[in-house]
Amino acid sequence: MLIFQIRLALASLRKTPLIMGLVVTMIAVSVGVLMTTFSIYHFMSAVPMADKKDTLFAVQLDTLKEWPHETHLKMVSYKDFQNLKDNELPINQSASFLSRVLVDVLDGSQRPFYVDARVSTSGLFSMFRAPFKYGGGWDKAQERDFQKVVVINHEINDKLFGGRNSVGEKLLIGDATFEVVGVLDKWVMTPRLYDLKNTPFGETEGVFIPFSLVEKLKLTNAGNTQEAQLAESDDPFKAFLNSESVWIPYWVEFASKADADSYRQFLTGYVAEQQAVGRFEPGNDSRLVAIEPWLAFHEVVNETNLLLVGLAAMFLLVCAINVMGMLSAKSFGRFKEFSIYRALGASKALLVKMQLVEVLVLGVICGISAVITSLLGLELVKAKFAHYEQVAHLNMALLLGTIVVSIIVCLLAYLYPVLKASQVQPVRYLK
């Protein structure tokens, strides 16, 4: 019976191809636009590492009140990190910055190429749950001993070593020879919590280099920097490191609330010490910031993203009203057909059921079309904005949601015509 009703519904839809084509197009485009904007908003507003909300914190240092904007609260200076990292508290620490380096193989079999690099402490991998395909990160001893070790992502591993287990292999970064200690698997963190200031939705860096090698190899920052005035020096790089310039995102992780409280006391003491030597000003806002407030402070999702979703929803509403008019015209034109059904003994409930099956068939067609439109929209977004690669996609829940929304729009748009048709009086149309 259901198969017969579906075939009947398809036959009914084919009777008015122009109207149905317009209906499908309007719903597919409007729902597709809504789901494109909503999917981007959904992934951008995600809270990564939510289970660490009570143990993982960003370090916020309020160094100088004279900064023109709040960038100085989002990162720390090199000398502040060096001062803060040397403590005996039971914590895990992650300081890192974006750099760009030249990578080559030792035998010269490939052309060297530039790649984004993350210069980081060893704590970054465990704190942010980096997935390893082979090997792992370096340890604190290797970092302390200034060993030239490197972690590469799976794409660099495929390019240089054919995708095999390359742990123990050597490669050149600049003029220095490094040993591979780990190969990252595909690492999707949306947004990239460890560095929200530099492309929070970008791809994972190609190589990871120990932070302790900054001075020895003069690794420069390729990311956002709030630069302070540098002292006169014969070594500009050294002068930059010793300046008040801020450019390093700094995170700490604790095993317990008591450890976090101990670090807060340590941080308060450090601020007091710096105020005593004239660095930090009174009314200092240095503190630990939890994950969600830190995301909000960086405005990872701003009002523009929400406004786009709202505009897409309004566009869908306008389209739904127009669809209602077209479906009403189609339904009212079938009153004579419905009168014949009633005269032959069909009940009002049967008429409603017939039209509901038609609505569901139409909704599925519109839903599939909307999914295609959404995917095309997301591809256009990725083509225009490369750093949206990790947020411009549909997961299974959003894909199914696109079809469900399309069916609901069709159902609401067809609700009035269905109810009107169920009240048709056969005598009036069969004279």
Side-chain angles (χ1 to χ4, degrees), residues 68-333:
H69 44 76
E70 294 182 327
T71 300
H72 72 287
L73 297 175
K74 298 175 180 178
M75 299 178 289
V76 303
S77 68
Y78 182 79
K79 63 180 179 182
D80 280 322
F81 167 66
Q82 293 296 329
N83 293 337
L84 289 172
K85 73 179 179 64
D86 294 325
N87 61 77
E88 298 180 355
L89 299 172
I91 62 173
N92 201 2
Q93 305 178 79
S94 169
S96 68
F97 64 89
L98 181 66
S99 187
R100 191 159 179 82
V101 297
L102 185 67
V103 175
D104 196 4
V105 290
L106 295 181
D107 59 10
S109 60
Q110 301 187 40
R111 294 185 64 181
F113 57 93
Y114 281 97
V115 64
D116 286 342
R118 173 68 43 182
V119 182
S120 71
T121 57
S122 59
L124 181 142
F125 302 111
S126 60
M127 290 171 67
F128 298 101
R129 294 174 180 157
F132 279 90
K133 190 173 184 179
Y134 306 114
W138 56 84
D139 56 35
K140 291 182 179 180
Q142 290 173 306
E143 190 166 26
R144 186 173 56 249
D145 295 339
F146 305 102
Q147 293 187 25
K148 294 183 179 67
V149 291
V150 65
V151 168
I152 61 178
N153 70 10
H154 66 98
E155 293 176 345
I156 299 298
N157 188 56
D158 290 343
K159 185 171 184 176
L160 295 182
F161 304 108
R164 69 178 185 275
N165 185 350
S166 59
V167 174
E169 297 284 352
K170 301 291 195 301
L171 57 82
L172 287 173
I173 296 179
D175 297 327
T177 302
F178 280 74
E179 179 183 342
V180 177
V181 293
V183 177
L184 290 172
D185 208 340
K186 186 171 179 60
W187 187 9
V188 178
M189 178 184 288
T190 309
R192 292 194 309 173
L193 195 58
Y194 57 79
D195 189 355
L196 297 175
K197 193 62 183 173
N198 299 294
T199 58
F201 303 104
E203 293 293 318
T204 303
E205 293 83 359
V207 299
F208 289 73
I209 303 170
F211 198 98
S212 59
L213 297 175
V214 169
E215 296 186 45
K216 286 184 174 295
L217 301 183
K218 292 192 174 183
L219 297 169
T220 57
N221 178 37
N224 192 286
T225 302
Q226 187 155 344
E227 189 167 324
Q229 184 174 0
L230 304 184
E232 293 186 9
S233 172
D234 294 333
D235 188 345
F237 182 74
K238 192 73 172 180
F240 173 72
L241 295 183
N242 291 329
S243 72
E244 298 291 344
S245 302
V246 291
W247 46 289
I248 301 170
Y250 182 30
W251 289 83
V252 288
E253 184 179 23
F254 311 98
S256 67
K257 184 179 182 300
D259 292 340
D261 291 338
S262 297
Y263 190 88
R264 288 188 178 94
Q265 293 177 7
F266 164 73
L267 189 61
T268 300
Y270 176 72
V271 170
E273 289 176 1
Q274 297 305 307
Q275 287 176 332
V277 297
R279 285 194 65 217
F280 293 4
E281 297 180 1
N284 198 275
D285 193 28
S286 298
R287 56 197 172 100
L288 297 181
V289 185
I291 295 172
E292 289 196 49
W294 194 245
L295 290 169
F297 182 49
H298 280 75
E299 296 182 335
V300 174
V301 182
N302 54 42
E303 294 180 357
T304 302
N305 301 112
L306 193 57
L307 177 62
L308 288 175
V309 176
L311 291 174
M314 292 177 63
F315 176 56
L316 174 59
L317 178 61
V318 172
C319 289
I321 293 173
N322 283 278
V323 167
M324 180 184 294
M326 288 187 286
L327 292 179
S328 295
K330 171 179 167 52
S331 182
F332 296 162

Side-chain angles (χ1 to χ4, degrees), residues 16 21-22 24 33 79 121 123 213 345 382 395 414 423 427:
T16 52
L22 288 173
V24 171
V33 170
K79 63 180 179 182
T121 57
L213 297 175
K382 287 189 285 188
N395 58 17
Y414 217 1
Q423 303 299 323
V427 176

